[in-house]
Amino acid sequence: MLTPRQLFLRHQAQTSDTPLLLEVERAEGVWMYGPAGQRYLDLISGIGVSNVGHRHPRVLAAIQQQLDKYLHLMVYGELVQTPQAELAHALHHTLPAHLDNVYLVNSGTEAVEGALKLAKRHTGRTELVSCLNAYHGSTQGALSVSGSENFKRSFRPLLPDVRHIRYNATEDLAQITERTAAVIVETVQGEAGIRVPENDYLQHLRRRCTEVGALLILDEIQCGFGRTGTFWAFEQFGIAPDILLCAKGMGGGMPIGAFIAPQAMMHGFKSDPVLGHLTTFGGHPVSCAAALATLRVIQDEGLLADVAAKAARFRSQLVHPAIRGVRGLGLLMAVEFDSYAVLKPIIDHALAHEGVLTDWFLFCDNSLRLAPPLTISAAEIDWACAALLRAIEHVTGQPIAQ
Ligand code: PMP
């Protein structure tokens, strides 16, 4: 009899030679529990997913209610399914009036794919502009607009007519022109190591897009759904996108994503060709029920109001000579060290000896990822910071105060 770990290694496709290999039996709130009762504090929320914590009771209740009614019925866009319709309506209510039409998909990368097609369909243009070090997903369209040549090289040819500009560099905005169908940007860059917009970058970007008739697609797949302290991160910058993307935290632990646009624009998928964008499982009713409950939890339980104070509580405690700085917005943070060589043993030690799960970033390997469930308590933050500092001390040999 092979153990689950052996089966995982032998029969599940692997994406690296160094998977975490943590075995989790159950999870609750900010905690994950192993088969022998070990517990781990989840400081990364399944990479930005468990914003309302693992197995939030209201999310579980909504899933249970939907299980008793129906699962999949029909491909997207044909039948009236109440969980989909109510979710679309509730999403619209969190947004500026023009973002009134929701296309439900299964994941972040699918939201990107749908939005890129919609932008081409709507503008009749082909060029797509995105940022260096952006991560938008692993399917071929989303990969094309992602900004790491290292991740793309082996999979070319990808989409033609993609141009990359530097995030936060207003000088590069002139490269957005009348040829540009859309600019796709993360409101806060995630896998680049949490890069926050500076010097009115998003306002300049918004203005340039409007000037030349290019659509602005904001990818809030990682930074939306309350992560930064407002329901959507763009709210903090006084701008709005033409198309908004969400996924990850949206489902409260269930798979779902969406791209959201004005109805007149979305009508592009109804003709030339009819059925211009299709998905079998997009907007799965159980995922939609979970997403609606998640949205209500974020709105009703005061989670947004506490994000800034919780982030400040982390920042005030994460002080050590080896820490070069903390970047971030709300509970989407990066703690910078000198190098991966310093950081990796800290992450490993924190997991193995302190029961704290963290990570680094795809395109930034000297920074530690901090994105706990927004439900994390003050006591849990203090516990996590003490554990991380012990790990840093152990690995660097440097005490906290010098
Ligand atoms: N956009 C951003 C900003 C992301 O962080 C991610 C996932 N890390 C994606 C898109 C892709 O989402 P998914 O993994 O659900 O396809």
Side-chain angles (χ1 to χ4, degrees), residues 288-402:
C288 286
L292 183 59
T294 301
L295 186 153
R296 296 284 180 237
V297 167
I298 294 172
Q299 287 175 332
D300 301 349
E301 297 191 0
L303 293 182
L304 297 177
D306 291 343
V307 167
K310 289 177 180 179
R313 199 172 182 102
F314 271 106
R315 283 170 182 263
S316 68
Q317 293 180 69
L318 290 177
V319 178
H320 182 276
I323 294 177
R324 296 281 167 251
V326 181
R327 291 183 299 275
L329 192 65
L331 286 170
L332 184 60
M333 290 185 281
V335 183
E336 186 171 320
F337 293 83
D338 272 343
S339 64
Y340 181 71
V342 177
L343 173 61
K344 182 63 166 63
I346 293 171
I347 290 173
D348 292 345
H349 187 87
L351 183 61
H353 302 285
E354 298 288 351
V356 171
L357 177 60
T358 60
D359 190 15
W360 62 101
F361 297 91
L362 273 180
F363 311 143
C364 181
D365 66 6
N366 71 348
S367 297
L368 179 129
R369 186 192 299 267
L370 271 188
L374 310 181
T375 53
I376 192 167
S377 69
E380 287 160 346
I381 293 172
D382 297 350
W383 190 90
C385 289
L388 283 176
L389 288 170
R390 279 194 301 273
I392 295 168
E393 278 187 336
H394 176 86
V395 168
T396 63
Q398 286 175 283
I400 295 169
Q402 273 198 334

Side-chain angles (χ1 to χ4, degrees), residues 47 106-112 134-139 142 146 186 188-191 219-223 245 247-248 256 362 369:
I47 313 294
N106 304 287
S107 65
T109 203
E110 285 176 68
V112 173
Y135 183 76
H136 296 295
S138 251
T139 54
S146 290
E186 296 160 270
V188 175
Q189 279 199 318
E191 297 309 316
D219 178 341
E220 296 228 358
I221 289 165
Q222 190 163 164
C223 64
L245 313 181
K248 283 189 180 277
I256 188 166
L362 273 180
R369 186 192 299 267

Side-chain angles (χ1 to χ4, degrees), residues 176-255:
I176 302 165
T177 68
E178 275 81 9
R179 289 196 58 250
T180 309
V183 183
I184 178 168
V185 175
E186 296 160 270
T187 311
V188 175
Q189 279 199 318
E191 297 309 316
I194 314 300
R195 309 289 161 172
V196 178
E198 287 163 6
N199 303 325
D200 294 337
Y201 177 67
L202 290 178
Q203 290 88 329
H204 289 297
L205 171 62
R206 173 69 273 182
R207 204 170 308 128
R208 181 66 184 164
C209 286
T210 305
E211 257 168 37
V212 299
L215 299 180
L216 176 60
I217 303 172
L218 286 184
D219 178 341
E220 296 228 358
I221 289 165
Q222 190 163 164
C223 64
F225 260 73
R227 175 58 49 201
T228 66
T230 43
F231 198 90
W232 304 106
F234 71 77
E235 293 169 38
Q236 299 184 40
F237 301 97
I239 57 140
D242 299 300
I243 306 177
L244 176 68
L245 313 181
C246 58
K248 283 189 180 277
M250 177 184 185
M254 293 292 283

